[in-house]
Amino acid sequence: MNIADLFKEKLQNQSIETPPELWDRLETHLNNMGNSINQEIENNISTPDSQSIATSVAKAGGWKIAAIAAGSVATAGIIAFAVITNFNSGQDNMSGDRAQMNQPVEENTSNSSISQDTIDISENIYSSAKEEADVIPFPIPSSNNTSSSSPKNIDKPTNNNIFYQGNDQPLPGLSNSNETIAKVSEVENPAPALANTVVDNANTTVRETPEIKKEEPAITKNPVNTRQEESIPKEPAANQTNDFKLFIPNLITPNGDGANDLLVIKDLDKLTSYRLRITNKKGAKVLETTHYQNDWTGDHLPAGSYFYTIQFVFEGVEKVQYGIIEIIR
Amino acid sequence: MEKDTLLLLLEECKQGKRTAQKKLYDAYKGRMFMVCTRYAKSRQEAEDMMIEGFGKIFANLGSYNFKGSLEGWMHRIMVHNAINTYYANIKHNTTVEIEEYTEDVPFAYNANDITYEALIELIQELPEEQRVIFNMMAIDDYPANSVSENLGITLTMVNKQYEKAKKQLQHKIAKLML
C-alpha cells in the first residue's frame, strides 16, 4: 500500500465534525455580503450626496469646516432616509428584508460620528506636531567659536568628523598660532607651482611676525612629523571679523547641455591656498586637489550625492566649508 | 438527497432564504470542513476558509449547471478557495525546510492502524507548498499538470515537492508508529 493511497482512503470521503458556532459566523458573513449589495442600491436611491461627502471627509481626515458642513448634510440625509425606509417597510412584510433596510440608517449616523472623531484626532495630531516643531528647531550648526557667521559654514571641524579623518595637514599660509608657524618653517619639499620664490621668505617672515601677508603664499608639502599636528587647533583664534564664504553649487548636471556641466567655484583665485576634497557617500575620495581648474564634471561617476570639503586660507584665516554636491545625469 | 428536493432547495438558496441555506450547509458541512482542514495549516484557518468558501458557494449557486454532482462542484470551489489562501500565505510566509529526508523507509501499515485525525495533523505539519500539492495530487486526484497550472509552479517542481511531501509523511508515520 502506497502512502498516498493511505491518505486518500482515509481522508477523501471522510467528513469531520464541524463546530456549531461556525454557522453563526457564516450567517453574519452572508448578511454582510447581502448588506453591501443592498446598501449600494439604497444609497443610489436616497442620499448619495450626503453619503459621499461624509465618507470623503472621513477619508481626507480633518478639515473642520467641510466636516461640519458634511455632518449637517448627513443628518439631513438621515431624516430623509428614515422617512423613505419607514415608507418602504410599511409596504414590505418580510422581517429579514426590513432589518436589512434599516441597516443603512445606522450606517449614516455612524458615518457622521466617524467624521467627527477624525476631526478631533487630526486636530490633536496637528497641535502635537506644532508643539514638536516648537521644541525641536531646525538644526543650525554651532557658530560660537569661529569667525564665519553664515549657517552654511561649519567652521569647527572635530576629530570625529568624517571629513577630517586621515591626512590632516595644515594649510600653508596659515598664521595664527606659534606652533603652526614653526611647522611652516619646517617645510622641506615646496610644491613646484608656487613655491620657487617664496619658501625662504616664508621661513623668515613667519618666524618674525605672526601675520603672513596675503601676497606671500607658501604652498607646502607635508612636513615629516605630520602625526604631531593632531593637537593643533585648526580654526583661527585671533582674526574673527572675516566672514568670507565661497559659493559652491550644490548641483551639477554633467550632460553636455552647457548648463551646470562643471563644478565651478568662483573666487578661487582670491584664496591664498586651498585644498578641495570630494568624497562619495561611503567616504571614498573621488577628487582631491590644491589647484582646481573649475573643470570637474563628475568623472563619469554615478549620479547621486557627493560631499565636498574645502579647506582654504583667505587673508591669513583658515576656514573650512563643506556640503553636498548632487550629480544628476 | 433526492433530486427534486435538492432542486427546490437550490432555488430557495438562490433567493437568499437563510433556512434553505442552512439546510444546504448542514447537508455538506462535514465533508467541506474536511477539505478545508486538510488544506489549512490550523483549525482557525480552516474555519475562515470554510466561511469564505460557503460564501462563494451561495453567491455563485446560479452558475452551477447541474453537470456533475453538486458536491463535486462545491468541492472544487473549496479547493480553489484553498489555493487562494495559499497564494495569500506565501506572500508573507517563507517556509524554511529544516529536515531533509533522504533514505527510504519501508512502508507497511494497515489503514486501520492509524486514525484520520492523526493523518490530518501530519498533513498540517507540512510546509505550505507541499501541503497544497499533496492534497491536490494524492487525495483530490488532480493531475500534476493541472496542479502546476493552478499554483503557477513548474511541472518538475510540482513532482519534486510531491515526492518530498510523501517522503516526509512516510518518516512521520514511521515515527508515529514506533
Side-chain angles (χ1 to χ4, degrees), chain A residues 1 3-4 6-12 14-16 18-19 22-23 25-27 29-31 33, chain B residues 18 21-22 25 30 33-34 43 47-48 50-51 55 107 111 114 116 119 123 138-139 141 162 170:
Chain A
M1 191 181 183
I3 182 142
L6 170 74
F7 276 89
K8 190 175 174 183
E9 186 187 318
K10 293 289 267 187
L11 298 182
Q12 193 174 36
Q14 182 73 43
S15 47
I16 191 173
T18 319
L22 207 55
W23 169 252
R25 284 179 62 192
L26 176 59
E27 200 169 7
H29 180 68
L30 291 172
N31 280 338
M33 281 168 63
Chain B
R18 285 282 178 274
Q21 286 177 344
K22 175 98 164 68
Y25 169 82
F33 196 55
M34 183 70 213
R43 191 181 179 84
E47 288 179 10
D48 289 347
M50 179 84 164
I51 286 168
F107 185 78
I114 199 163
Y116 72 89
L119 291 185
I123 286 186
I139 303 171
D141 282 336
Y162 182 46
Q170 215 150 331

Side-chain angles (χ1 to χ4, degrees), chain A residues 31-47 51 55 81 100-108 110-111:
Chain A
N31 280 338
N32 288 338
M33 281 168 63
N35 268 352
S36 63
I37 296 165
N38 280 348
Q39 211 173 314
E40 277 175 27
I41 298 164
E42 290 288 334
N43 286 340
N44 285 338
I45 292 168
S46 63
T47 56
Q51 188 78 16
T55 49
F81 199 42
Q100 287 169 8
M101 290 286 208
N102 285 334
Q103 194 72 23
V105 179
E106 294 165 15
E107 274 295 315
N108 249 342
S110 67
N111 251 341

Side-chain angles (χ1 to χ4, degrees), chain A residues 50-61:
Chain A
S50 65
Q51 188 78 16
S52 63
I53 291 170
T55 49
S56 66
V57 168
K59 275 177 193 169

